[in-house]
Amino acid sequence: MTVIEATHVQTTVRMRGREFPVGDMCWRRAFAGRPAEARRARDFVGFLMAGFARADDMVLAAGELVANVLQHTRSGLPGGLFVVEVRRWRGGAALTVIDQGGDGEPRSRPPCDGFDGSVDELCALAESGRGLLTISATASWWDWCGGPAGRTVTAVFDER
């Protein structure tokens, strides 16, 4: 069963020393922790963000965050779940993905280039490990909280 919830909220949220408005609308949907659900999660975000200048960036971020959830947390195990939340306010929006936790912490891969301008070819040719780097490049900012029992990753997109 898929749960979709929409609520009106008027507040700000403080996350690691940063505050952002979360007024106007908030939508939340739970997804089964299966690879086929990644497309549904992207479609959910794309539908809600239609007309927002940074909708494509948010859909890209949703794909990256869901891929991380499925690959690196218990949400990707049989019977696992993850939740996607979209908040939209005048001048911006936030995408949050909540998982069931795991052993590691969300972290960006270090750059493949050295201080001397050289490039580590194995690193540069790796097929994974760039999701949070992509989010860092497209979101206004992102952060996470939680631990082994569950994590929340939020990416904020200011309207340009």
Side-chain angles (χ1 to χ4, degrees):
M1 178 169 97
T2 299
V3 176
I4 299 176
E5 178 182 315
T7 57
H8 287 280
V9 291
Q10 293 294 328
T11 188
T12 60
V13 173
R14 185 168 185 81
M15 187 176 210
R16 300 221 183 192
R18 297 177 180 152
E19 289 195 21
F20 65 95
V22 293
D24 293 335
M25 288 297 293
C26 173
W27 299 269
R28 186 177 303 120
R29 182 175 173 189
F31 295 89
R34 296 189 304 263
E37 295 296 288
R39 179 178 181 87
R40 290 185 181 98
R42 291 190 309 270
D43 290 346
F44 175 67
V45 173
F47 175 78
L48 294 172
M49 297 313 301
F52 180 60
R54 308 219 25 224
D56 290 343
D57 290 341
M58 290 189 71
V59 171
L60 175 64
E64 296 296 345
L65 291 176
V66 169
N68 285 352
V69 161
L70 295 175
Q71 184 173 359
H72 301 294
T73 75
R74 283 188 286 283
S75 294
L77 297 176
L81 294 171
F82 64 93
V83 175
V84 175
E85 179 180 281
V86 176
R87 293 178 181 261
R88 191 168 179 180
W89 60 90
R90 186 181 312 254
L95 169 68
T96 299
V97 177
I98 303 162
D99 65 44
Q100 293 178 302
D103 295 332
E105 296 180 350
R107 66 181 194 285
S108 295
R109 173 191 289 263
C112 293
D113 55 336
F115 292 109
D116 61 357
S118 64
V119 174
D120 178 346
E121 288 189 38
L122 287 178
C123 175
L125 295 174
E127 292 184 16
S128 64
R130 293 181 185 82
L132 293 177
L133 287 174
T134 300
I135 292 168
S136 293
T138 58
S140 300
W141 62 271
W142 73 273
D143 212 339
W144 69 276
C145 61
R151 257 178 240 96
T152 301
V153 179
T154 299
V156 175
F157 297 82
D158 295 328
E159 202 159 22
R160 292 182 182 163

